Amino acid sequence: MDIGPYVLQLFSGLSRAMVLFLLSAGLSLIFGVMNILNFAHATLWLLGGYITFSIFQFLGEQFGASPWLLLPAIVGATSLMALIGFALERFLIRRTYERALPEQLLLTFALVLITGDLIKLVWGVENRRINLGVEPVEMFDTLVNPYHFVIIGTGVAVAAGVWFFMHRTRFGKILRAAVYSRSMVSALGIRIPLIYALVFAAGVGLAGFAGGVFLPLLPMALGVDHDVIVQCFAVVVIGGFGSMLGTFVAAIIVGVVYSFSILFWPDGALAMIFLIVIVVLIWRPWGLFGT
């Protein structure tokens, strides 16, 4: 039996899972702390990918082509996306805290349309992708892109870093406390509006980071964010809103199932994800690790 195609799909699914985790972690963090359902999260991820492409291209023109230029490009794009997230929370999102969920969704959906048009104006409608020029390696009689290992390692490292930040740092403990009792945290003299702005900036920064990491794997294109946001919502629903561990586990489930579904049942790959969502909602409506 030739296991090569299955190994290839496994690595592809795990790398996709880590990108989904990086993206869904920001979405889950924002909802868990702020109770804001950011429908524009995947579009901001797309914007982060385009910004990474532009920075990478600029650095290549200045210093010559090198795959290592991807690192400063991702750092620059992540920082810029975090600033954009801070500004969005300060001037737009903050005004919706006391409003109903449909109004929040309407605002974030408007951001989807506006950001999509901005991308079209600045970068056009062509697909954008970074080619690192890395040679594939042979494993089990099949060729595997070594960048899959980079993405998997990055996702695991970020997951460990987020867990450490949330459970072992003072600011992380403040965030966890704000989830359960915002009024008590505010009574202690902690500025909740500043906490919210930093959380939204961190969530959008994670989205920008995920966009940069994803760019050498598949091209960025207008409309990709619509498919990705569906899978991100599936991840946070399966794992449980606000649970980082649940988001990580659910991302692996969705990424691997989607990858193998493409191999065995291409037309029903997305349907398989929703089948899992339905089963989880029936069994545990609050998600695998939600409360």
Side-chain angles (χ1 to χ4, degrees), residues 88-152:
L88 287 175
E89 193 282 335
R90 177 66 181 82
F91 297 106
L92 291 178
I93 304 298
R94 185 172 296 185
R95 305 177 187 275
T96 66
Y97 290 149
E98 304 301 326
R99 296 183 179 270
L101 180 61
E103 296 182 54
Q104 296 176 1
L105 289 176
L106 185 62
L107 173 62
T108 55
F109 184 71
L111 287 176
V112 171
L113 301 178
I114 294 171
T115 306
D117 285 344
L118 286 175
I119 291 174
K120 190 182 300 182
L121 288 172
V122 176
W123 287 279
V125 296
E126 297 84 7
N127 296 351
R128 306 290 179 173
R129 180 180 182 180
I130 291 177
N131 185 8
L132 298 180
V134 179
E135 294 294 330
V137 296
E138 185 174 351
M139 294 182 63
F140 299 100
D141 296 325
T142 187
L143 296 178
V144 178
N145 186 350
Y147 190 71
H148 286 310
F149 303 109
V150 175
I151 295 179
I152 295 170

Side-chain angles (χ1 to χ4, degrees), residues 211-252:
V213 170
F214 186 77
L215 198 55
L217 195 60
L218 290 173
M220 286 289 182
L222 291 174
V224 175
D225 52 322
H226 300 164
D227 296 330
V228 171
I229 192 62
V230 172
Q231 298 182 41
C232 286
F233 278 122
V235 167
V236 294
V237 168
I238 293 171
F241 277 99
S243 172
M244 285 296 127
L245 176 60
T247 301
F248 184 78
V249 173
I252 294 177

Side-chain angles (χ1 to χ4, degrees), residues 11-184:
F11 286 126
S12 177
L14 288 176
S15 60
R16 186 180 186 87
M18 291 302 102
V19 173
L20 282 175
F21 166 73
L22 293 173
L23 185 53
S24 302
L27 182 66
S28 182
L29 179 67
I30 290 172
F31 182 84
V33 176
M34 303 169 60
N35 203 31
I36 294 291
L37 202 56
N38 182 17
F39 196 77
H41 200 71
T43 306
L44 295 172
W45 162 81
L46 187 67
L47 177 61
Y50 276 97
I51 292 175
T52 303
F53 172 82
S54 294
I55 296 177
F56 182 84
Q57 193 175 47
F58 173 78
L59 293 176
E61 293 173 353
Q62 299 299 317
F63 304 103
S66 171
W68 294 103
L69 294 178
L70 180 63
L71 293 177
I74 291 177
V75 171
T78 302
S79 303
L80 183 56
M81 290 305 299
L83 291 175
I84 292 174
F86 189 90
L88 287 175
E89 193 282 335
R90 177 66 181 82
F91 297 106
L92 291 178
I93 304 298
R94 185 172 296 185
R95 305 177 187 275
T96 66
Y97 290 149
E98 304 301 326
R99 296 183 179 270
L101 180 61
E103 296 182 54
Q104 296 176 1
L105 289 176
L106 185 62
L107 173 62
T108 55
F109 184 71
L111 287 176
V112 171
L113 301 178
I114 294 171
T115 306
D117 285 344
L118 286 175
I119 291 174
K120 190 182 300 182
L121 288 172
V122 176
W123 287 279
V125 296
E126 297 84 7
N127 296 351
R128 306 290 179 173
R129 180 180 182 180
I130 291 177
N131 185 8
L132 298 180
V134 179
E135 294 294 330
V137 296
E138 185 174 351
M139 294 182 63
F140 299 100
D141 296 325
T142 187
L143 296 178
V144 178
N145 186 350
Y147 190 71
H148 286 310
F149 303 109
V150 175
I151 295 179
I152 295 170
T154 300
V156 172
V158 170
V162 170
W163 181 89
F164 181 86
F165 173 78
M166 295 295 292
H167 292 83
R168 293 292 184 266
T169 66
R170 181 176 182 272
F171 189 76
K173 293 176 181 178
I174 291 173
L175 293 183
R176 292 166 58 205
V179 172
Y180 292 100
S181 180
R182 303 174 190 178
S183 58
M184 180 58 71

